[in-house]
Amino acid sequence: MKKTSTRLADGRELIYYDLGDDTVRDAVDRRPLDATVTTSEIRHDALLGDAVAVASHRQGRTYHPPADQCPLCPSEGGRLSEIPDSSYDVVVFENRFPSLAGDSGRCEVVCFTSDHDASFAALSERQARLVLDAWTDRTSELSHLPSVEQVFCFENRGAEIGVTLQHPHGQIYAYPFTTPRTALMLRQVAAHKEATGGENLFDAVVARELADERVVLEGEHWVAFVPYAAHWPYEVHLYPRRRVPDLPALDEAARAEFPQVYLELLRRFDRIFGEDEPPTPYIAAWHQAPFGPLEDFEGVTRDDFALHLELFTIRRTSGKLKFLAGSESGMNVFINDVPPERAAERLREVASS
């Protein structure tokens, strides 16, 4: 992997990640951009104890542009985009319309390929490994920013999810706090550790799932399963067999196997509802240990956390979506229409031949 860092016309950082070590990246952003102005503010909810990012400048972000005006495609001829070069393998850049900025964190965009009509599932294993390397590098780099406590790499795919740019891409949020979802996990880890005299909760959960009927896919270094209490109609959790707190801690064997396992999972997701259905909308979310202090979780260290990816779709059956209505949105109590055992069975049925 070759990494080349440059700056866009408004001062934002852009980084090329290339498969070839001899690739030269010297294209200049020729757009007449003004400096980016953001209004991001973190507000804390006194009743729930969580945080809300208020970012009114995002109202003006690019919204469903035609393909020939996609800002994530390479710049060609007179069409100038967020990527100054005429081609790329993987690119990461600071979001022009960030939810988090300055002392409130940082937001980045990850373009998986220059092919506008592709998807992550269509990448080669070599390309998918490059994306993994980019996620890993950005996690490491962002963890050193003084305002950052947690790094979240994720992909939103599909209009049903709310994606406004159809080019295959994901995002990275660097939060200035430990996110509420992670805090819940850490509290459970702490309680389980105390109750069992030191047993790790993540290890116990993975061991239980491996012994049950919800395993979808197993490799030498990774295991994927539908969790016992899945929130979503089709939801898969992907864990490395060796517990590590974050992406930089993965060993080479796990990195080498990841593309094969993950691409197979994504391709199965696209076959769940049949060949005639549109591509399956999904969210793919990496859960990593916070980099900040863990004093609020007595007896827990970063090494007690287990890196894992959660992949889920909001489509519950052909032509129907799972909406977060009263119970889910009002009380955070999910109601799942698809039994997790049936979801796992279906994901095994659609394995590649």
Side-chain angles (χ1 to χ4, degrees), residues 19-40:
L19 292 167
D21 291 337
D22 58 348
T23 305
V24 176
R25 297 295 184 188
D26 56 8
V28 176
D29 185 3
R30 295 181 283 122
R31 297 172 296 169
L33 296 180
D34 295 327
T36 301
V37 177
T38 63
T39 58
S40 182

Side-chain angles (χ1 to χ4, degrees), residues 309-321:
L309 180 139
E310 297 184 7
L311 172 68
F312 61 90
T313 180
I314 63 171
R315 186 179 292 164
R316 57 186 175 88
T317 189
S318 180
K320 298 179 181 179
L321 301 181

Side-chain angles (χ1 to χ4, degrees), residues 138-196:
R138 296 314 301 153
T139 296
S140 179
E141 292 291 325
L142 291 169
S143 72
H144 291 101
L145 295 180
S147 64
V148 172
E149 283 196 16
Q150 187 174 359
V151 177
F152 176 45
C153 306
F154 64 100
E155 179 192 2
N156 298 327
R157 187 267 188 93
E160 299 94 329
I161 298 293
V163 175
T164 57
L165 297 175
Q166 298 309 310
H167 194 105
H169 74 287
Q171 299 180 67
I172 302 175
Y173 277 23
Y175 296 100
F177 51 80
T178 297
T179 59
R181 184 79 178 274
T182 303
L184 285 173
M185 292 187 209
L186 290 170
R187 290 189 194 105
Q188 291 296 103
V189 168
H192 185 84
K193 190 173 185 179
E194 181 180 6
T196 60

